[in-house]
Amino acid sequence: MTTSRATVASRNATEEDLLRLDGQICFSLSAASRAFNSVYRVLLKDLGLTYPQYLVMLVLWEHGTLPVKKVGEHLRLDSGTLSPLLKRLEAAGLLLRERSARDERSVEVRPTEEGTALRERAVQVPRRIAAATGLGLDEMNDLRTRLDRLTSALDAAALEETPGCH
């Protein structure tokens, strides 16, 4: 059986398309993330927070006092990345880290009065981010739902690829 030149050319064109940068979902997500970070950088400057610090504060504003491990789970960060963030936020007077009274091995984190008060000023950030996207509320919710589903699928795929996790 012979393969026609047109079939080979078509298959090669498709393979070439697969390797185009602008066809990579990972690149689109990365570019969107960088664009979000640029907008957040400007908005968070007035609050004295970096984007990762803002995420920590969002978790604490939502959940109150939490073990450091739980904060890391919410943010999908390991302790090596999270610890310096917490130290800087503590130095800025926005949170306290204390050994748990119930379990001396665990460190708990909670917002200070100043950290809690910062929440009032931070309320405008999500509104301004939404305005910057140009998306309506339904579109934003749909996008978030799709991204959550994508993250879950990728987590499952990574787990399948991890030796010993089958």
Side-chain angles (χ1 to χ4, degrees):
M1 182 167 135
T2 59
T3 305
S4 73
R5 283 186 173 175
T7 303
V8 170
S10 174
R11 183 174 51 229
N12 286 341
T14 301
E15 288 173 0
E16 288 298 317
D17 288 344
L18 287 173
L19 296 177
R20 289 181 52 89
L21 179 62
D22 63 0
Q24 306 301 308
I25 191 169
C26 59
F27 182 73
S28 294
L29 287 169
S30 177
S33 179
R34 282 193 311 279
F36 262 112
N37 286 339
S38 293
V39 174
Y40 271 107
R41 189 176 305 113
V42 171
L43 296 177
L44 295 175
K45 187 176 184 183
D46 291 340
L47 301 178
L49 296 174
T50 64
Y51 178 68
Q53 291 171 340
Y54 173 69
L55 295 179
V56 169
M57 294 308 297
L58 285 174
V59 169
L60 295 178
W61 291 329
E62 183 177 345
H63 298 283
T65 302
L66 283 176
V68 170
K69 183 177 181 179
K70 282 287 184 200
V71 175
E73 288 172 7
H74 282 289
L75 296 175
R76 301 174 62 108
L77 294 176
D78 61 48
S79 62
T81 303
L82 185 57
S83 290
L85 281 172
L86 298 177
K87 285 179 184 176
R88 284 193 294 276
L89 287 166
E90 186 174 38
L94 299 176
L95 63 81
L96 288 174
R97 293 179 302 152
E98 300 170 323
R99 291 260 168 226
S100 169
R102 292 181 303 270
D103 180 358
E104 285 288 321
R105 298 169 295 174
S106 178
V107 174
E108 293 183 335
V109 186
R110 66 177 173 83
T112 61
E113 264 186 52
E114 184 179 347
T116 300
L118 185 62
R119 184 180 188 280
E120 296 304 316
R121 292 178 41 216
V123 167
Q124 50 81 26
V125 172
R127 291 184 184 115
R128 293 181 66 190
I129 289 293
T133 68
L135 299 175
L137 184 59
D138 289 342
E139 290 174 299
M140 295 263 303
N141 288 333
D142 181 56
L143 178 58
R144 188 175 46 254
T145 298
R146 289 170 181 252
L147 289 171
D148 289 346
R149 208 168 58 226
L150 174 63
T151 300
S152 294
L154 293 172
D155 284 346
L159 197 55
E160 288 176 11
E161 296 297 321
T162 303
C165 290
H166 295 279

